[in-house]
């Protein structure tokens, strides 16, 4: 569906050197400063996938998405989306893709949400019946009816984002790009948006490329992720192997009421913290199985409660990013 | 063609509804123009006191010209930039470029919509002028018909030039200075502020061949029937619209490679 090969994007802007008359000098100098935002990345995404496209701030995610949508022309490398070069066949491409950029809106600021949908209907030449059924369906799914007649400028961020999501999916494009669709939203709004994305991916088979800094989004929605930093590919593969590769230890938390856990110990795990009522131990699942550690602890101490902490994606990502920065 | 028009019909609607969304602005616009039209009539009459003609133009023609020009400017201004630079600055341009219609047709459709939304202001100004006896109606129905054609061509010219100039924003975001020069030039060259009759003789032939006079001066002179060779005037207007539209396409094709969608 989406094929990217050695994709590179450089931005150049006038190089303003600080100092006296910097502004005046910049009028006459032709020196330019080049930033390479995307540096030769390659990947492919199959039809029907819901992929997480991750990376720290300034990694080049938005720049890549802009090239995938055809609004930026690559400096070098190739992109094919559904068999087309997006920036060259821009108008053809427009019908294949939908996009939500969390930072800006495609809705008409001064008009009620409903008018924006009407304009999109005209732009994409949708027939009245399809438009009505689809809008009805989406309105229900995202609970738009409360604010569909409100001008976009008076909508809350979460309402606007829901409106944007509908605007992007109204003409049923086979591919949907989401660049930080949950940024700044509350838990309920995030939930609604995730539900909608999951629904269109499973029910309609829409291919979704999701960029987000919220690891909850990723865990709930994505099987496979692509991670980039400084414009280069760091990781491409499924989420589980990523965790397995980076999380080599697991933590277990035990509670006791009738016993002082301060002196807790185990041959299979290392004690991280130990208080009178609660202790945390760490073990390596590769060498010691979880049941073995659990059995060892429960058989020797009067434990009232026990939990094994799942590897946290947030930690994995943090580790991945910092490793890259320092190494 | 038909499909293309329905495609951008929504944007045309967006244009005029956006004007109507700010109803108070519209009312203030109407009130402002009524005052302006009244003052124009009064002031020009004073200016002409004691003269029958200035530069071969009689008083009532000069007053009518000033009022009509003001009414047209309230609807569409020759020196107004399109919303493009703003959309480039905000990164909104990315949204426009993801649509299945060309950026040019989207932009023009919306501009036409905005113009239609502002039409009531111009009509109010015109009616004020007529009521005060400051505006002479065209000499004949045919004259009115020719004016409608010429004005439409003038408007097409204005919309295209505005968009063309706005496309500078793809090359540089610092277009403030350029904008001032452009405004100043077109305000005079189009005949929107001062009828070209009053320009010095040596300048007139040059102005006559520039695209700007085809925006306001040409339709207004047809309204008053002060110009010979109406067909020649119309032909020149058509010529300019065709040339400018071609230029617009050319510039846009180069701009595509310069587009930087900010933010994200
Ligand atoms: N128009 C531009 N001119 C110059 N540099 C730019 C431009 N747009 C982006 N960059 C640079 O390219 C790099 C990548 O930016 P990009 O917006 O793609 O990052 P991102 O991964 O989306 O980050 P974030 O998570 O913060 O949104 C950054 O260093 C940014 O400063
Ligand atoms: Mg970004």
């Amino acid at each position: 569906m989406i094929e990217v090969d050695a994709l590179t994007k450089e931005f150049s802007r006038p190089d303003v050197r600080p100092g006296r008359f910097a502004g005046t000098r910049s009028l006459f100098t032709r020196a330019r400063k080049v930033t390479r935002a995307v540096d030769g990345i390659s990947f492919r995404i199959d039809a029907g996938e819901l992929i997480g496209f991750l990376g720290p701030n300034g990694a080049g995610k938005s720049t890549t998405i802009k090239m995938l949508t055809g609004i930026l022309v690559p400096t070098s490398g190739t992109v094919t989306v559904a068999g087309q070069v997006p920036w060259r066949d821009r108008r053809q491409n427009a019908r294949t893709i939908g996009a939500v950029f969390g930072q800006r809106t495609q809705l008409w600021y001064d008009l009620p949400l409903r008018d924006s949908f009407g304009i999109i209907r005209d732009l994409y030449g949708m027939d009245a019946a399809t438009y009505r059924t689809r809008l009805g369906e989406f309105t229900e799914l995202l609970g738009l009816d409360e604010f569909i007649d409100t001008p976009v400028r008076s909508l809350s961020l979460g309402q606007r984002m829901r409106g944007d999501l509908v605007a992007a999916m109204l003409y049923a494009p086979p591919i949907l790009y989401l660049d930080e669709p949950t940024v700044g939203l509350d838990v309920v709004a995030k939930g609604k948006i995730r539900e909608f994305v999951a629904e269109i991916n499973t029910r309609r088979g829409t291919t979704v490329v999701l960029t987000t800094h919220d690891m909850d989004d990723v865990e709930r929605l994505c099987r496979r992720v692509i991670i980039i930093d400084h414009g280069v590919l760091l990781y491409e593969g499924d989420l589980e192997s990523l965790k397995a590769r980076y999380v080599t230890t697991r933590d277990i938390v035990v509670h006791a009421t009738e016993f002082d856990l301060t002196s807790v110990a185990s041959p299979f795990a290392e004690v991280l913290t130990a208080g009178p009522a609660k202790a945390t131990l760490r073990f390596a699942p590769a060498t010691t199985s979880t049941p073995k550690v659990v059995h060892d602890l429960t058989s020797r101490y009067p434990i009232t409660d026990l939990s094994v902490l799942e590897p946290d994606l947030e930690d994995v990502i943090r580790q991945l990013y910092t490793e890259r920065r320092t190494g | 063609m038909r499909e293309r028009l329905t495609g951008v019909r929504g944007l045309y609607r967006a244009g005029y509804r956006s004007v109507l969304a700010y109803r108070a602005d519209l009312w203030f616009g109407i009130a402002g123009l009524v005052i302006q039209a009244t003052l124009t009539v009064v002031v020009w009459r004073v200016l002409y006191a004691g003269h029958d003609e200035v530069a071969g133009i009689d008083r009532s023609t000069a007053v009518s010209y000033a009022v009509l020009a003001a009414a047209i400017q309230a609807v569409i201004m020759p020196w107004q930039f399109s919303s493009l630079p703003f959309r480039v600055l905000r990164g909104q341009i990315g949204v426009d470029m993801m649509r299945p219609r060309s950026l040019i047709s989207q932009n023009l459709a919306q501009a036409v919509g905005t113009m239609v939304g502002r039409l009531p202001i111009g009509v109010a100004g015109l009616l004020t002028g007529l009521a005060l006896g400051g505006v002479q109606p065209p000499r004949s129905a045919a004259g009115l018909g020719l004016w409608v054609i010429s004005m439409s061509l003038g408007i097409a010219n204005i919309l295209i030039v505005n968009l063309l100039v706005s496309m500078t924003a793809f090359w540089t975001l610092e277009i403030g200075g350029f904008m001032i020069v452009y405004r100043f030039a077109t305000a005079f060259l189009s005949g929107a502020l001062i009828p070209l009759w009053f320009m010095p003789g040596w300048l007139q032939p040059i102005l006559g061949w520039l695209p700007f006079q085809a925006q306001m001066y040409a339709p207004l002179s047809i309204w008053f029937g002060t110009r010979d060779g109406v067909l020649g005037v119309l032909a020149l207007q058509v010529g300019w619209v065709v040339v400018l539209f071609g230029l617009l396409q050319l510039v846009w094709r180069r701009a595509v490679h310069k587009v930087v969608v900010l933010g994200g």
Side-chain angles (χ1 to χ4, degrees):
Chain A
M1 201 69 171
I2 300 174
E3 279 169 54
V4 172
D5 190 37
L7 188 63
T8 300
K9 180 72 194 181
E10 286 175 352
F11 291 109
S12 81
R13 62 187 143 78
D15 187 11
V16 181
R17 297 217 172 78
R20 258 148 67 94
F21 310 117
T24 321
R25 257 193 293 131
S26 75
L27 273 177
F28 303 103
T29 163
R30 300 205 131 254
R32 297 187 76 79
K33 198 176 163 168
V34 174
T35 330
R36 190 171 285 190
V38 177
D39 191 1
I41 58 174
S42 308
F43 56 82
R44 53 174 295 150
I45 297 170
D46 291 323
E49 265 195 277
L50 200 172
I51 200 148
F53 189 54
L54 316 177
N57 289 132
K61 305 179 295 293
S62 296
T63 307
T64 305
I65 299 231
K66 285 173 197 168
M67 287 190 280
L68 294 181
T69 55
I71 57 183
L72 273 193
V73 181
T75 306
S76 67
T78 57
V79 182
T80 345
V81 176
Q84 294 156 348
V85 177
W87 62 269
R88 204 173 290 143
D89 317 318
R90 191 172 303 106
R91 271 184 265 175
Q92 239 328 300
N93 182 60
R95 296 179 184 280
T96 332
I97 61 164
V100 176
F101 294 97
Q103 316 279 11
R104 69 178 73 94
T105 179
Q106 63 160 302
L107 305 166
W108 280 264
Y109 200 65
D110 293 325
L111 306 180
L113 199 48
R114 193 190 293 282
D115 285 5
S116 286
F117 297 151
I119 296 167
I120 288 167
R121 173 197 60 206
D122 287 350
L123 274 172
Y124 290 84
M126 297 176 67
D127 65 82
T130 318
Y131 171 73
R132 216 169 318 116
T133 43
R134 215 169 275 151
L135 184 58
E137 199 179 307
F138 289 166
T139 303
E140 193 171 331
L141 212 56
L142 284 167
L144 296 188
D145 36 329
E146 291 168 48
F147 52 83
I148 194 163
D149 292 307
T150 311
V152 171
R153 66 182 126 89
S154 346
L155 294 182
S156 79
L157 183 63
Q159 292 169 333
R160 200 214 77 204
M161 209 72 92
R162 279 183 267 170
D164 256 304
L165 206 49
V166 171
M169 283 310 295
L170 210 49
Y171 47 96
I175 302 170
L176 177 63
Y177 299 107
L178 301 170
D179 192 351
E180 302 194 40
T182 55
V183 67
L185 302 196
D186 70 33
V187 193
V188 179
K190 272 185 187 170
K192 277 238 164 70
I193 289 196
R194 284 176 193 149
E195 231 172 82
F196 182 84
V197 173
E199 166 102 10
I200 56 152
N201 175 251
T202 51
R203 288 261 303 273
R204 289 171 190 271
T206 310
T207 309
V208 182
V209 179
L210 169 69
T211 286
T212 179
H213 291 293
D214 185 332
M215 289 309 139
D216 261 1
D217 288 347
V218 180
E219 296 227 59
R220 272 164 217 246
L221 293 170
C222 310
R223 266 249 320 280
R224 208 161 76 86
V225 291
I226 292 172
I227 305 178
I228 65 168
D229 191 14
H230 290 108
V232 300
L233 199 70
L234 280 194
Y235 178 86
E236 178 189 7
D238 62 83
L239 212 47
E240 288 314 309
S241 353
L242 176 69
K243 285 184 190 167
R245 188 154 110 201
Y246 281 89
V247 191
T248 49
T249 60
R250 199 162 294 179
D251 294 349
I252 186 166
V253 182
V254 292
H255 292 264
T257 40
E258 320 262 271
F259 183 83
D260 187 355
L261 284 172
T262 318
S263 60
V264 71
S266 166
F268 307 113
E270 168 202 355
V271 179
L272 289 185
T273 59
K278 179 188 167 189
T280 309
L281 296 89
R282 175 168 286 175
F283 65 100
T287 52
T288 318
S289 75
T290 312
K292 199 164 161 188
V293 186
V294 174
H295 179 256
D296 171 58
L297 290 170
T298 48
S299 60
R300 291 187 298 118
Y301 303 101
I303 283 163
T304 52
D305 194 11
L306 175 151
S307 54
V308 181
L309 300 182
E310 275 296 304
D312 185 11
L313 185 58
E314 200 96 37
D315 290 337
V316 175
I317 296 292
R318 192 174 304 125
Q319 206 178 324
L320 195 68
Y321 292 174
T322 44
E323 213 170 76
R324 164 91 189 150
R325 288 269 144 91
T326 52
Chain B
M1 187 69 201
R2 174 109 185 254
E3 190 207 337
R4 277 210 202 153
L5 281 181
T6 44
V8 291
R9 193 181 51 197
L11 286 164
Y12 159 79
R13 241 182 8 251
Y16 76 74
R17 287 204 185 150
S18 300
V19 176
L20 296 182
Y22 295 94
R23 238 162 266 260
D25 271 5
L26 198 59
W27 283 115
F28 277 116
I30 290 173
L33 191 63
V34 167
I35 295 170
Q36 194 188 338
T38 312
L39 287 177
T40 306
V41 172
V42 173
V43 171
W44 278 83
R45 278 181 183 164
V46 170
L47 280 177
Y48 258 92
H51 307 273
D52 288 337
E53 275 189 9
V54 175
I57 302 302
D58 63 48
R59 188 182 77 176
S60 70
T61 306
V63 175
S64 296
Y65 189 103
V67 175
L68 270 177
I72 296 169
Q73 280 168 49
V75 179
I76 183 167
M77 279 203 286
W79 55 87
Q80 191 169 40
F81 265 66
S82 87
S83 56
L84 197 77
F86 180 76
R87 295 183 72 80
V88 173
L89 201 63
R90 289 292 174 91
Q92 282 297 111
I93 195 71
V95 172
D96 304 338
M97 290 179 66
M98 277 192 299
R99 302 291 188 202
R101 304 286 156 197
S102 79
L103 186 98
I104 292 176
S105 51
Q106 289 178 59
N107 201 291
L108 292 179
Q110 187 150 0
V112 171
T114 309
M115 191 185 76
V116 170
R118 297 176 61 84
L119 212 50
I121 304 179
V123 171
L126 183 62
L127 291 179
T128 310
L130 286 169
L132 294 176
V135 174
Q136 305 167 330
R139 299 204 173 139
S140 64
L144 183 66
L146 285 173
W147 176 76
V148 170
I149 298 171
S150 179
M151 193 68 240
S152 309
L153 288 166
I155 289 170
N157 184 315
I158 292 175
L159 292 175
I160 295 170
V161 173
N162 282 342
L163 185 53
L164 197 57
V165 174
S166 302
M167 281 201 185
T168 325
F170 287 117
W171 280 269
T172 171
L173 289 173
E174 300 168 49
I175 60 168
F178 179 52
M179 212 154 129
I180 291 169
V181 173
Y182 169 69
R183 267 189 192 177
F184 191 71
T186 50
F188 281 94
L189 301 182
S190 67
L193 289 189
I194 301 168
L196 299 188
W197 309 313
F198 298 141
M199 293 289 176
W202 59 270
L203 196 58
Q204 292 211 10
I206 304 174
L207 296 182
W209 284 102
L210 289 180
F212 305 106
Q213 62 83 30
Q215 299 181 330
M216 292 278 265
Y217 177 66
L220 284 171
S221 60
I222 286 178
W223 173 286
F224 296 112
T226 50
R227 208 140 149 195
D228 309 322
V230 170
L231 289 182
V233 173
L234 291 179
L236 189 62
Q237 280 191 293
V238 172
W240 270 122
V241 168
V242 172
V243 168
L244 291 168
F245 193 71
L247 195 60
L248 184 62
Q249 302 282 353
L250 215 68
V251 171
W252 169 232
R253 221 166 296 151
R254 313 208 103 211
V256 167
H257 293 266
K258 290 282 171 191
V259 171
V260 169
V261 178
L262 298 169

